[in-house]
């Protein structure tokens, strides 16, 4: 028996708890026909070294969550986000509506309304929170302060986020660029300066930028964050710029 990181109770903890929600692997066809992941170092990819490794599951860790916290509390946020992104039966009030908009200069975005603010945001924040607690090498760059960890944990437990000015989440996608495979999950990164901390996750064609606050976020993208009025704008990475974004997130010059 050990202490669950979420409910703080002495319980039997799971030996395999996914850090990045498993539906991203399944829905993104990241598994091959034998339910294996083909993994390659992105740095090696850019060097032209195509050496793949195979593993039977996504990134998971042990002794973080109990069965209830993983399979009930966090699962409700994952189930909603899976259906919101990839389709599924949802109540009309939280069934997102999408509209693609192309602005002058060729930069486009997808405008989303009726997106459940709390459930979607908590799914993404729960990935950040689990990555912080993971001892996997893949998440070595992700760390929260004690205050940040307790804040996000409280959100997950209660099902209620703060205002959209705190822990702002902005999403980019390169899925419209057919030259780049969407089947990528890249090692997360952390960027820190004097005004904010930024965590970046690239998962299955989506770039999730998680700011600890909205200070100094460039105005053109600040308005795109998921908002408490249940709206969000997913920014389309311009064609031909997808690899530049990937290298930027991986810290590759």
């Amino acid at each position: 028996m050990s202490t669950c990181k979420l409910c703080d109770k002495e319980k039997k903890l799971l030996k395999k708890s996914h850090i990045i929600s498993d539906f991203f692997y399944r829905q993104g066809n990241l598994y091959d026909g034998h339910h294996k992941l083909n993994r390659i170092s992105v740095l090696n990819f850019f060097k032209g070294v195509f050496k793949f490794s195979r593993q039977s599951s996504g990134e998971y860790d042990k002794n973080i969550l109990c069965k209830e916290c993983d399979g009930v509390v966090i699962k409700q946020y994952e189930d909603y986000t899976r259906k919101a992104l990839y389709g599924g039966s949802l109540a009309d009030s939280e069934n997102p509506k999408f509209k693609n908009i192309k602005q002058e200069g060729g930069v486009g975005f997808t405008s989303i309304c009726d997106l459940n603010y709390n459930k979607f945001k908590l799914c993404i924040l729960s990935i950040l929170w689990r990555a912080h607690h993971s001892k996997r090498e893949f998440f070595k760059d992700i760390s929260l302060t004690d205050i940040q960890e307790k804040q996000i944990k409280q959100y997950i437990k209660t099902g209620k986020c703060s205002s959209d000015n705190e822990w702002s989440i902005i999403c980019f996608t390169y899925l419209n660029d057919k030259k780049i495979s969407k089947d990528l999950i890249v090692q997360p990164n952390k960027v820190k300066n004097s005004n904010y901390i930024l965590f970046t996750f690239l998962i299955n064609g989506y770039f999730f930028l998680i700011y600890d606050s909205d200070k100094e976020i460039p105005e053109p993208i600040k308005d795109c964050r998921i908002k408490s009025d249940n709206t969000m704008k997913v920014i389309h990475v311009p064609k031909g710029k997808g690899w530049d974004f990937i290298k930027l997130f991986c810290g590759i010059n």
Side-chain angles (χ1 to χ4, degrees):
M1 302 288 283
S2 301
T3 303
C4 174
K5 300 294 186 184
L6 186 58
C7 66
D8 295 319
K9 296 179 180 178
E10 290 286 325
K11 289 186 177 183
K12 182 178 180 180
L13 302 186
L14 296 175
K15 296 300 182 183
K16 282 190 176 183
S17 180
H18 279 92
I19 307 303
I20 294 177
S21 308
D22 193 46
F23 74 84
F24 278 114
Y25 299 93
R26 297 176 185 275
Q27 298 293 332
N29 296 318
L30 297 178
Y31 292 120
D32 65 14
H34 302 286
H35 201 72
K36 297 283 186 179
L37 280 170
N38 289 315
R39 302 298 300 272
I40 184 173
S41 162
V42 175
L43 181 58
N44 284 341
F45 179 88
F46 284 106
K47 289 180 177 179
V49 180
F50 301 105
K51 183 178 180 181
F52 289 88
S53 61
R54 285 160 61 83
Q55 63 184 65
S56 59
S57 183
E59 294 291 339
Y60 60 86
D61 213 335
K62 61 182 180 180
N63 298 330
I64 295 177
L65 295 167
C66 66
K67 184 177 180 180
E68 182 178 1
C69 286
D70 183 89
V72 178
V73 178
I74 290 179
K75 187 175 185 294
Q76 64 182 313
Y77 311 134
E78 294 179 329
D79 284 348
Y80 174 78
T81 301
R82 173 178 54 82
K83 293 175 181 178
L85 289 179
Y86 300 107
S89 178
L90 290 169
D92 189 63
S93 61
E94 59 178 19
N95 190 16
K97 284 75 176 177
F98 303 88
K99 183 178 180 180
N100 289 324
I101 299 172
K102 190 171 184 178
Q103 297 178 312
E104 292 184 11
V107 178
F109 61 89
T110 299
S111 178
I112 306 174
C113 63
D114 296 333
L115 180 68
N116 188 296
Y117 169 76
N118 282 302
K119 291 179 181 178
F120 187 89
K121 188 170 184 177
L122 286 173
C123 177
I124 306 304
L125 287 180
S126 75
I127 294 173
L128 171 62
W129 181 84
R130 285 175 283 180
H132 162 77
H133 283 289
S134 176
K135 293 180 172 58
R136 303 278 289 193
E137 178 71 13
F138 191 73
F139 301 104
K140 65 182 179 64
D141 294 327
I142 301 301
S143 63
L144 299 167
T145 66
D146 288 343
I147 293 176
Q148 290 173 333
E149 188 275 338
K150 290 178 182 178
Q151 185 180 47
I152 295 177
K153 180 167 76 171
Q154 184 66 14
Y155 296 159
I156 296 171
K157 289 171 67 173
T158 62
K160 294 183 180 179
C161 294
S162 61
S163 71
D164 45 31
N165 295 322
E166 292 183 301
W167 292 108
S168 295
I169 298 176
I170 296 169
C171 182
F172 288 78
T173 181
Y174 63 82
L175 291 179
N176 291 329
D177 194 338
K178 304 302 182 183
K179 293 183 179 180
I180 303 178
S181 171
K182 70 176 182 178
D183 300 344
L184 291 173
I185 291 184
V186 173
Q187 185 169 342
N189 192 25
K190 177 181 179 180
V191 179
K192 184 177 181 180
N193 67 24
S194 59
N195 295 310
Y196 63 81
I197 296 175
L198 167 65
F199 300 92
T200 63
F201 288 79
L202 192 162
I203 309 173
N204 191 26
Y206 294 98
F207 299 99
F208 292 103
L209 277 59
I210 308 174
Y211 292 85
D212 65 336
S213 75
D214 67 351
K215 294 179 181 177
E216 302 300 321
I217 299 176
E219 287 297 332
I221 66 171
K222 182 186 291 188
D223 186 56
C224 295
R225 70 190 185 280
I226 181 170
K227 299 179 181 178
S228 54
D229 64 359
N230 301 318
T231 63
M232 183 182 185
K233 294 177 182 177
V234 177
I235 305 167
H236 301 171
V237 175
K239 290 183 179 180
K241 299 295 184 181
W243 286 126
D244 292 336
F245 270 73
I246 293 172
K247 288 191 287 186
L248 177 63
F249 285 141
C250 294
I252 300 172
N253 295 321

